[in-house]
Amino acid sequence: MATAKVPLSDLISLVSDPCRVDPRGSYPNLGIYSFARGVFGKPPIDGAQTSATTLYRVRSGQFIYSRLFAFEGAYAIVPAEMDGVFVSNEYPTFEVDQDHLLPRYLYWLFQRRDVWRQVAVGAKGMGDRRQRVHPDKVLSYRIDLPSLGDQHRIVEKLDRVAALVDERRNAIEAAERETQALLLKAFQRAIDGAPLRPMAEVAPLVRREVEIEATREYTEIGVRSFYNGIFHRRTMPGSEFSWQSLFWVKEGDLVFSNLMAWEKAIAVAEAHDEGTVGNHRMLTCEVNPKLATPGFLMAYFRTYEGFSSIVGHSPGTIARNKTLSSKKLPTILVPTPPVETQKWFDRLRAKTQEAHAIRANTAQDVESLIPAMLHEIFNGGAKAA
């Protein structure tokens, strides 16, 4: 189906509905999410507090964008519930000629990353991706313009699939929440009445000092915040490490970043971490197999109670100075039910992780569906459903 390619200036027009700011007034305000995720309500602008002398009223169905963040997709259509709210002059607003262009069609067109890039750099390929995008660049952008009937069919198809994607995404998130709730309940059952023992007994801090050889290569680890695991920072010859102390990491170690433990930088070393090294900031605890399993202790430190014990043993009043003390860590008390109970919980947790991986893959497939459809529909000219 052949379509005419026309500049947006033939289809949308820059509009302005200025309103003089009254110091006694309060003005509902909106912002625009990056990556074409729509608009959001911001706190009202207090006329007595703002430095702006003029604000601009927007209306439902108008096309709007952020000059500063257009390069990363801050484009949207004003929804009905935001009709009449106000923005600054950093948000150019356009009326859409709905006799020729559906606002929802324009919305879907601007879901595409290649469109943001093309608009940001302009027709001649000039410009900085972080440079404010002038309305002239938007207006000069040329689009394929199918008939209104074809636009309706394209919009209906994309909206229908988007609703199914949302439904599936919500189902995946609900299943994940339910699984985590059941896992926490199982953990609480496992520790009910269990004796508390200090980390010094259950998983003592160990320092396996490395005798650094200048020509040998060593892989240094770090621990990501928010329980996101161990990462390999760098691999370098020993000559590059000669100024510091290094310590061997073994599979099964419970590893704490003493600088970032307050931000949940806690992890269990896996098989591929065996033989890596950590600096003095990495606190490695070797779990006593007669008393605990690494996975069970990690599960405890992911609970509110367990993480609170970490924060409580990290002196300091400012976040970045809340260092987990190597002297205090061994004194933290942890629950120690029978090891067989801990292994039962570990097996249960492994099953939930398998389910999580399946859901994550499904979610990735679901999220890739809309971009694939947009590519199919808009590349080389829009096509009817």
Side-chain angles (χ1 to χ4, degrees):
M1 178 187 62
T3 59
K5 209 171 189 69
V6 298
L8 279 176
S9 58
D10 288 357
L11 304 166
I12 63 175
S13 54
L14 190 64
V15 293
S16 177
D17 186 2
C19 176
R20 185 86 178 166
V21 173
D22 184 340
R24 299 164 298 179
S26 178
Y27 301 86
N29 187 23
L30 69 74
I32 305 176
Y33 287 116
S34 295
F35 308 108
R37 292 180 294 129
V39 303
F40 61 95
K42 297 171 71 174
I45 297 171
D46 186 334
Q49 298 294 322
T50 182
S51 60
T53 57
T54 304
L55 295 171
Y56 301 85
R57 184 183 286 107
V58 300
R59 292 299 183 187
S60 173
Q62 290 178 335
F63 181 59
I64 188 170
Y65 78 95
S66 163
R67 292 177 192 262
L68 186 58
F69 293 103
F71 76 93
E72 62 178 20
Y75 294 93
I77 299 294
V78 179
E81 63 269 21
M82 293 289 185
D83 184 69
V85 307
F86 294 86
V87 295
S88 73
N89 61 359
E90 286 294 318
Y91 294 84
T93 307
F94 305 83
E95 201 69 54
V96 180
D97 177 3
Q98 298 192 38
D99 289 335
H100 297 92
L101 177 64
L102 299 178
R104 192 69 181 167
Y105 180 84
L106 189 59
Y107 160 84
W108 281 115
L109 182 67
F110 273 80
Q111 290 286 305
R112 301 167 59 207
R113 291 173 180 265
D114 60 321
V115 172
W116 316 336
R117 184 182 66 254
Q118 291 166 20
V119 171
V121 301
K124 295 182 180 179
M126 302 293 291
D128 185 326
R129 69 189 289 269
R130 293 187 180 272
Q131 182 178 337
R132 281 177 168 82
V133 173
H134 193 275
D136 285 349
K137 285 190 174 181
V138 176
L139 290 168
S140 64
Y141 183 70
R142 302 178 73 87
I143 69 169
D144 292 300
L145 186 67
S147 68
L148 278 179
D150 285 338
Q151 289 181 50
H152 274 292
R153 283 188 285 275
I154 291 168
V155 166
E156 287 172 1
K157 178 179 180 179
L158 287 167
D159 284 351
R160 183 171 64 252
V161 174
L164 293 173
V165 167
D166 284 342
E167 182 180 331
R168 183 59 179 154
R169 182 190 299 119
N170 292 338
I172 291 171
E173 291 173 355
E176 188 67 18
R177 287 193 298 270
E178 183 178 356
T179 298
Q180 292 306 312
L182 290 172
L183 190 63
L184 178 60
K185 187 175 181 179
F187 184 81
Q188 294 297 336
R189 187 174 69 183
I191 66 172
D192 186 29
L196 297 176
R197 292 186 172 93
M199 281 286 286
E201 182 182 347
V202 179
L205 179 65
V206 295
R207 290 301 203 188
R208 310 179 191 97
E209 191 160 2
V210 177
E211 293 184 9
I212 299 175
E213 301 174 25
T215 58
R216 178 175 176 177
E217 289 196 331
Y218 299 90
T219 298
E220 185 182 17
I221 64 153
V223 183
R224 296 186 182 90
S225 296
F226 307 110
Y227 307 121
N228 281 318
I230 289 173
F231 66 98
H232 294 185
R233 294 180 59 195
R234 54 189 178 175
T235 299
M236 300 192 306
S239 58
E240 299 292 328
F241 289 108
S242 58
W243 58 274
Q244 63 176 309
S245 296
L246 297 177
F247 305 91
W248 293 112
V249 175
K250 292 179 62 176
E251 179 183 0
D253 280 351
L254 198 59
V255 186
F256 302 79
S257 165
N258 74 337
L259 286 179
M260 302 302 294
W262 65 269
E263 200 176 63
K264 305 176 182 178
I266 309 167
V268 174
E270 300 180 6
H272 65 273
D273 301 315
E274 176 81 29
T276 57
V277 297
N279 63 26
H280 68 286
R281 296 293 187 185
M282 300 295 110
L283 306 182
T284 51
C285 295
E286 186 172 347
V287 181
N288 182 342
K290 294 181 180 179
L291 294 176
T293 68
F296 193 82
L297 290 179
M298 184 67 203
Y300 175 65
F301 287 119
R302 292 177 72 105
T303 66
Y304 176 80
E305 181 182 357
F307 178 62
S308 295
S309 69
I310 294 296
V311 175
H313 288 75
S314 301
T317 55
I318 300 175
R320 295 289 169 181
N321 290 332
K322 290 183 68 65
T323 302
L324 176 61
S325 167
S326 60
K327 293 182 179 179
K328 290 181 177 291
L329 174 58
T331 68
I332 293 175
L333 297 177
V334 295
T336 54
V339 171
E340 284 307 313
T341 300
Q342 297 184 45
K343 290 180 178 179
W344 164 81
F345 178 80
D346 286 346
R347 290 192 295 271
L348 180 63
R349 182 174 54 85
K351 290 179 181 178
T352 64
Q353 288 176 331
E354 290 174 7
H356 171 77
I358 293 170
R359 283 194 288 266
N361 287 335
T362 301
Q364 189 173 19
D365 291 341
V366 167
E367 296 301 330
S368 66
L369 181 57
I370 292 294
M373 289 186 65
L374 291 172
H375 179 81
E376 178 185 354
I377 289 171
F378 290 112
N379 265 33
K383 300 176 182 178

